[in-house]
Amino acid sequence: MTLLTISDVSRQSGLSEPTLRYYEEVGLIGPIDRDASSGHRRYTDRDLDDAYILGCLRGMGVGIEDMRTYRANRALGNAAAGDQRDLLLRHATRVEQEIDTLRVHLDYLQFKAALWDARERGDAADEAAASLRIEALAPKLQRVLR
């Protein structure tokens, strides 16, 4: 069995060393075995797998409690498949909403850049077209800024 240091797991999982320590403290990972002589954490491949999954979930904006639920469901296997699916789909819906919001922000920035580009070039027709795109985007922009 391969034993890994906290630096190894941090590098491979994308989680910082303080985050790994915190996740162990709150029970998301481990408990992690310690080297008898140095007291340093020694992670197994299974611990690395857990850290990697938590890093993915964290990167997608999943909070600690849902990570806890995910881990518990994972331990239950197929018996919790429906709950696991529902948890993941709830976050997928949240990410879709974030993407929609970012799309509106991107459109706004591009339309405003086109407006200023037209002004720089002295192109009244392009400036008017950009202004119309910005005006048409206004209701969506107001909705996502609330």
Side-chain angles (χ1 to χ4, degrees):
M1 170 185 355
T2 304
L3 293 178
L4 305 163
T5 66
I6 195 168
S7 295
D8 295 331
V9 174
S10 175
R11 190 172 39 259
Q12 293 181 50
S13 70
L15 296 172
S16 69
E17 292 179 26
T19 298
L20 288 167
R21 289 184 195 98
Y22 175 71
Y23 283 2
E24 181 183 4
E25 181 183 318
V26 299
L28 285 174
I29 297 176
I32 304 301
D33 290 334
R34 304 293 179 120
D35 181 272
S37 62
S38 69
H40 293 146
R41 290 170 174 81
R42 294 294 178 237
Y43 293 81
T44 64
D45 291 333
R46 166 82 179 174
D47 297 326
L48 173 61
D49 185 48
D50 289 344
Y52 179 78
I53 289 167
L54 293 171
C56 289
L57 292 172
R58 180 177 188 240
M60 291 176 234
V62 175
I64 296 288
E65 287 309 312
D66 279 347
M67 286 183 196
R68 214 183 287 287
T69 300
Y70 182 90
R71 185 170 188 236
N73 287 344
R74 189 169 174 231
L76 294 173
N78 291 345
D83 290 338
Q84 200 76 316
R85 177 203 58 228
D86 293 346
L87 181 142
L88 293 169
L89 287 175
R90 189 174 71 250
H91 285 284
T93 299
R94 177 188 50 77
V95 169
E96 284 177 339
Q97 291 168 346
E98 290 172 8
I99 290 169
D100 290 344
T101 296
L102 289 172
R103 172 58 61 194
V104 172
H105 292 171
L106 178 61
D107 288 347
Y108 178 78
L109 292 169
Q110 289 175 332
F111 296 165
K112 288 296 272 191
L115 174 81
W116 286 100
D117 178 63
R119 287 178 177 167
E120 179 183 45
R121 291 182 289 108
D123 188 330
D126 279 357
E127 182 178 344
S131 291
L132 287 174
R133 287 193 301 268
I134 293 166
E135 188 176 312
L137 186 64
K140 287 182 183 178
L141 188 59
Q142 288 173 354
R143 188 177 64 249
V144 300
L145 293 176
R146 286 185 206 152

